[in-house]
Each structure stands twice: as structure tokens, then as C-alpha cells.
Amino acid sequence: MRKQIAAANWKMNLTLQQAETLIDELVKIPHDVNENQLAIFGVPFPYLTAIQTKLAGKKNVFVAAQNCYNKKSGAYTGEVSAEMLKSIGIGYVILGHSERREYFNESNSMLAEKVNICLETGLVPIFCCGEPLTIREAGTQNSFVEAQLKESLFHLTAEQLTGFIIAYEPIWAIGTGKTATSEQAQEIQSYIRSVFAGQYGNDVADSISILYGGSVKAANAKEIFGKPDVDGGLVGGASLVASEFAAIINSLK
Ligand code: PGA
């Protein structure tokens, strides 16, 4: 059975002190992460170890990096490699967030390299995809997202994609307060699953957790996560508020 996942994406927010306070507040609020669920905190690089230490011993709760570089090591001043993350005990990495695609020119082929390095290193990618507003208005979002997935992931084996994590995030819904309706999320996420099924078969497709991201909050999480092809969420703004993110975790199937 595929995992249901609440993943926080703090982006470039919070000081270390604010981040630690947020975790302290969150652990005080009852929230249940059962065997078939994961809570993952995507935190800025400098806080990875501190937040990991704070969450140590919590079952089914993990810390993720928000990016890593597409080269293994070497003269790339300022970059962070998959191996570095692995060496400090990090297990997950958000890859291909639309902000990285837009502001840092991350292409589908560069993301394929990042995915490869993460898998070789033993890190689990949380692979983001999603269309801009112009594509949604033109009604071509399915083929747009399909191309992102094909160009970055379809060189992988069925084994590598078993249990993979995808985050579908329509760009027009990120940080805008404008959430896709649960029907819109279900429609495209079921399409995404069918794309994997077509290439890799139903067993692989059914094992992939497909998260929805874009203005998820406590008030809408239950409805969105209730859809059959929505296996949780990647949450930006609302993950910076302890009560919101606890409620979002509690909204997982
Ligand atoms: P948002 O961000 O929840 O603030 O819309 C989601 C994301 O960018 O991952």
C-alpha cells in the first residue's frame, strides 16, 4: 500500500530559533503519524541536523533537504551534494520545485541527473511537477506534466520507481491562496498515475505516492486528501504554522 505523506516545504523562511520553536509547538499538538503515513520536513540546509536532532525518535517522521546539486562532488562553490546529505543522515530531497525551475533554470534533463544521483546515493526524491497558469488556461496541463515526468523519470527502472514520491503542484496555486479544487487535483493526479501505469504497469503506478501542493491548509486538506489519487500534500505557507501543519498531518488518509 502506498504511503500517505504530509511534507512541509519551509522554503527560505525562519531563523533557527523560529524553526526550533515551530517544532516545539508542533510536537505538543496531538498529531498521529501511523505506519502507513509519513511526515517529512523540508528545511533549509543549515538547519537539517538541528531539526533532525529535535525530531529524533519520532516514528515515521523525517527531515528532507529542499535541493541538491546534479554533480557528485568537486569545484562547485556553494553547492550541496547528495552524498553530503546522506552523510548527515538525511533520507529525502525535494527536487524540481517550480521555484527552482523558474529562478534557477532547472530543466527536465538537469533534474534527471539529480534524480539519478539521489537514487545512486540512497536518497529518496520528492519530485515536483506542475503547470503554469497559461498552460492550465490552454487546457494542455496533462501533456505538459507528462513531458516533465517522461523527460526526468522515464529512464528509471520499474524497481527504482516503486514507492517513488511525486508532488503535483500547479504553479498558479502556489502561495496564491488559490487552491486547485479537489476535483482538479484528482483529475490530473489520476492522469499522472495512468502515465506511469502505461509505461511501467499498474503495480508500479499504484505504489507511487502522488502528493498535491498549492495552498494546502488545515481547512482544505481533508477534502483534497480524500480523493483516491491524492496521497497527501507538499505544504508551503501552512507548514510554518504549527497548528495548521498538525491538522494537515491529521487529515491524511
Ligand atoms: P504553498 O506552497 O503551500 O505556500 O502554496 C506549496 C509549495 O510550494 O510547495
Side-chain angles (χ1 to χ4, degrees):
M1 201 156 59
R2 60 182 178 260
K3 298 274 186 200
Q4 304 297 308
I5 302 171
N9 178 10
W10 288 357
K11 311 190 180 184
M12 197 177 74
N13 290 300
L14 307 174
T15 62
L16 176 61
Q17 292 71 26
Q18 290 168 332
E20 290 186 326
T21 303
L22 175 61
I23 297 291
D24 287 340
E25 283 173 11
L26 183 72
V27 293
K28 281 191 213 135
I29 305 170
H31 60 278
D32 184 36
V33 191
N34 72 31
E35 279 310 308
N36 197 47
Q37 299 170 339
L38 298 175
I40 301 178
F41 291 84
V43 314
F45 287 130
Y47 312 158
L48 286 168
T49 299
I51 300 304
Q52 208 176 22
T53 304
K54 270 203 137 357
L55 293 170
K58 302 248 172 307
K59 276 188 94 181
N60 310 316
V61 177
F62 297 93
V63 175
Q66 297 175 10
N67 179 36
C68 70
Y69 201 45
N70 61 323
K71 301 279 186 272
K72 282 192 171 170
S73 66
Y76 303 106
T77 303
E79 289 297 336
V80 173
S81 72
E83 194 179 25
M84 291 173 188
L85 297 172
K86 185 74 182 171
S87 74
I88 59 165
I90 294 298
Y92 294 85
V93 190
I94 299 170
L95 289 183
H97 190 280
S98 59
E99 288 148 18
R100 296 219 51 94
R101 292 175 185 264
E102 183 179 351
Y103 306 135
F104 303 96
N105 299 319
E106 295 196 359
S107 63
N108 292 337
S109 58
M110 177 197 267
L111 289 168
E113 292 172 0
K114 292 192 179 197
V115 167
N116 288 346
I117 290 183
C118 284
L119 293 178
E120 279 166 29
T121 312
L123 295 179
V124 179
I126 299 170
F127 184 85
C128 303
C129 59
E131 80 286 355
L133 186 59
T134 47
I135 295 288
R136 172 64 64 163
E137 284 173 347
T140 52
Q141 64 272 10
N142 285 5
S143 56
F144 183 90
V145 169
E146 182 171 350
Q148 288 180 321
L149 298 172
K150 285 194 165 158
E151 290 172 26
S152 296
L153 301 179
F154 273 31
H155 61 285
L156 299 176
T157 64
E159 197 186 348
Q160 287 174 312
L161 278 170
T162 299
F164 208 82
I165 306 172
I166 302 284
Y168 165 69
E169 300 200 304
I171 298 171
W172 45 273
I174 294 177
T176 57
K178 198 174 164 191
T179 322
T181 63
S182 56
E183 287 76 22
Q184 284 173 319
Q186 168 58 25
E187 189 185 21
I188 190 161
Q189 296 196 190
S190 120
Y191 182 74
I192 290 171
R193 203 179 299 288
S194 77
V195 168
F196 283 105
Q199 183 76 7
Y200 292 96
N202 284 337
D203 286 353
V204 172
D206 286 341
S207 77
I208 297 175
S209 298
I210 308 179
L211 318 186
Y212 167 80
S215 298
V216 173
K217 41 188 182 287
N220 59 25
K222 193 126 207 144
E223 175 172 349
I224 299 171
F225 298 173
K227 294 291 177 189
D229 288 296
V230 182
D231 306 310
L234 179 58
V235 186
S239 74
L240 302 172
V241 180
S243 57
E244 282 282 312
F245 196 60
I248 288 167
I249 294 172
N250 286 332
S251 303
L252 290 172
K253 281 199 273 284

